[in-house]
Amino acid sequence: FTNQAYAKIKSTALTATYDNFLRISGDKAKRIDLVLGAGLGAMDYHLDSQVAGYGDETVWSTTLAFKTGLDFELAKNITLSANMRLLLPTREHYSVAASYIAGGAIKYVF
């Protein structure tokens, strides 16, 4: 076994989704919403080879984006959000089959 690095890989994703908010429970003051979204975007990966004879490579692809998550309204102006996005590249022979992004946020609505 060896601890030698052969390449470094970086990835970037830019997406825009249309989100639908479906109320699960609660009233206008405190509620829980299911968030479902779909959209388009672009993603790339950059391969930085550490081996002599292999060059660097950046490959872009158009991407289908799907989003699911939950919004928890804690107060009138504060919402806790947790979501997961699935990015599916549309380019043939793209080295990445899918990319998953999990995230969350605290939103202040005024």
Side-chain angles (χ1 to χ4, degrees):
F1 295 102
T2 180
N3 195 18
Q4 183 177 356
Y6 292 100
K8 293 181 182 178
I9 298 175
K10 297 181 218 170
S11 180
T12 304
L14 304 168
T15 62
T17 59
Y18 176 80
D19 296 340
N20 291 302
F21 294 83
L22 306 170
R23 185 177 299 179
I24 294 176
S25 67
D27 56 10
K28 283 189 172 187
K30 292 185 180 181
R31 63 190 226 185
I32 300 173
D33 292 332
L34 173 66
V35 181
L36 298 174
L40 293 173
M43 70 182 292
D44 80 334
Y45 65 86
H46 178 77
L47 180 64
D48 184 13
S49 178
Q50 306 292 318
V51 179
Y54 292 96
D56 296 343
E57 179 181 36
T58 300
V59 182
W60 283 90
S61 177
T62 303
T63 306
L64 299 174
F66 300 98
K67 178 180 178 180
T68 184
L70 291 171
D71 275 3
F72 301 95
E73 191 172 89
L74 304 176
K76 183 178 178 183
N77 297 338
I78 299 174
T79 302
L80 181 64
S81 179
N83 61 59
M84 174 79 108
R85 288 186 287 162
L86 169 64
L87 307 175
L88 299 171
T90 59
R91 184 175 179 166
E92 290 185 29
H93 307 296
Y94 195 69
S95 294
V96 178
S99 181
Y100 305 92
I101 301 171
I106 297 174
K107 298 185 235 179
Y108 180 78
V109 181
F110 52 95

